[in-house]
Amino acid sequence: MKIIFLGAPGAGKGTQAEIVSEKLSIPTISTGAIIREAIKAKTEMGLSAQVAIEKGELVSDEIVIGIIKDRIVQDDCKNGFILDGFPRTISQAEALEKMGVTIDKVVNIYVSDEDIVKRMSGRRVCSSCGASYHTVFKPTKDNKTCDKCNAELTIRKDDAPDVVKSRLVVYHEQTAPLEAFYDKKGILVTVEGQEELEDTTKLTLKALDIK
Ligand code: AP5
């Protein structure tokens, strides 16, 4: 199965993608996570993407399309994959079609802008493995270190309130048109993001017909 998770920054795409990935035993490909790793490793691609990501702007289509092209041909993608955060523009969606990828379902997680801003202030990420938590909705055992690898929790630079606002503007201008793009193809399902993580998971699994 090939699935896209669509939704505003912080809507819960990564959280739900991780659960579906485990259920279906297919990998999640997060362009955001791949770019953050490249920034950490100071690769050429990472350095050229860093300014855009920290300002809350989109990284160039050329870079992200290149990331996806290289990743989906790897062995673990043979039985399908989940795209989290790609495509984010119509031209990225068209590039995906040109790669010959047929998407089965696009799950659009809807959360209001107001709730997004509240939610992002509580997100914490592991400084080592990148696992994502929330101080209220998904706390770690001590709210200081990662439950998976014990490394320190940090706040993403692009989770600063001003940057979150810019990311929302970019989302509405450049990414939201993808809802109509995939709706026309009859593969869009919209899930209303709930206050509780588990409730959003139930709706997501139902939308994907996963038991
Ligand atoms: P990326 O990392 O993809 O960021 P994003 O899309 O803005 O999404 P987030 O990771 O912030 O949030 P999410 O929806 O995954 O939510 P999460 O599950 O973490 O991209 C970052 C940047 O990279 C972009 O701004 C851009 O610069 C660049 N980039 C990436 N892809 C690109 C592309 N294709 N083209 C161009 N540029 C690209 O949840 C958020 C928080 O809420 C967590 O703390 C979580 O625990 C909590 N939470 C989740 N669900 C719930 C719930 N139901 N109730 C309460 N809390 C919840």
Side-chain angles (χ1 to χ4, degrees):
M1 197 169 188
K2 297 190 181 85
I3 303 166
I4 291 172
F5 272 92
L6 201 63
K13 303 181 294 294
T15 304
Q16 299 306 326
E18 193 185 330
I19 295 165
V20 173
S21 159
E22 271 175 32
K23 288 244 174 212
L24 297 180
S25 301
I26 54 173
T28 294
I29 303 171
S30 158
T31 36
I34 294 171
I35 298 166
R36 278 188 293 279
E37 278 301 309
I39 292 175
K40 214 160 125 190
K42 296 190 167 50
T43 67
E44 200 182 317
M45 181 272 271
L47 293 174
S48 63
Q50 187 164 13
V51 177
I53 213 170
E54 287 177 2
K55 276 205 243 165
E57 291 167 3
L58 292 186
V59 172
S60 75
D61 282 349
E62 195 193 345
I63 290 181
V64 287
I65 290 166
I67 291 174
I68 294 297
K69 260 191 192 154
D70 292 347
R71 184 63 186 86
I72 61 172
V73 293
Q74 290 175 20
D75 253 13
D76 62 339
C77 291
K78 269 189 193 143
N79 296 325
F81 48 79
I82 299 169
L83 296 177
D84 163 17
F86 183 93
R88 255 178 158 95
T89 60
I90 297 285
S91 53
Q92 291 177 18
E94 288 168 349
L96 190 61
E97 287 182 344
K98 280 197 196 120
M99 289 176 218
V101 174
T102 307
I103 297 296
D104 299 290
K105 277 263 153 58
V106 178
V107 181
N108 176 39
I109 304 185
Y110 172 77
V111 177
S112 72
D113 287 6
E114 207 188 341
D115 286 343
I116 294 279
V117 174
K118 274 192 231 150
R119 234 189 235 188
M120 299 297 256
S121 62
R123 175 160 59 185
R124 299 292 180 269
V125 289
C126 173
S127 54
S128 175
C129 73
S132 176
Y133 300 97
H134 194 281
T135 49
V136 178
F137 302 114
K138 193 184 171 188
T140 65
K141 286 184 194 111
D142 61 4
N143 244 334
K144 285 184 196 143
T145 54
C146 176
D147 283 348
K148 291 182 184 166
C149 69
N150 284 326
E152 206 184 323
L153 300 183
T154 54
I155 299 178
R156 266 171 51 174
K157 275 197 180 155
D158 61 346
D159 279 352
D162 282 357
V163 184
V164 171
K165 281 183 194 141
S166 306
R167 287 163 70 195
L168 281 168
V169 171
V170 169
Y171 174 76
H172 289 296
E173 280 176 8
Q174 302 193 52
T175 308
L178 286 171
E179 289 172 30
F181 181 91
Y182 286 116
D183 194 27
K184 260 191 216 151
K185 296 180 190 294
I187 55 172
L188 184 86
V189 279
T190 295
V191 165
E192 188 111 5
Q194 305 293 308
E195 183 71 15
E196 295 293 330
L197 268 169
E198 293 74 17
D199 293 336
T200 309
T201 303
K202 276 185 205 147
L203 294 176
T204 302
L205 297 178
K206 196 171 165 215
L208 288 169
D209 211 9
I210 299 172
K211 300 278 174 271

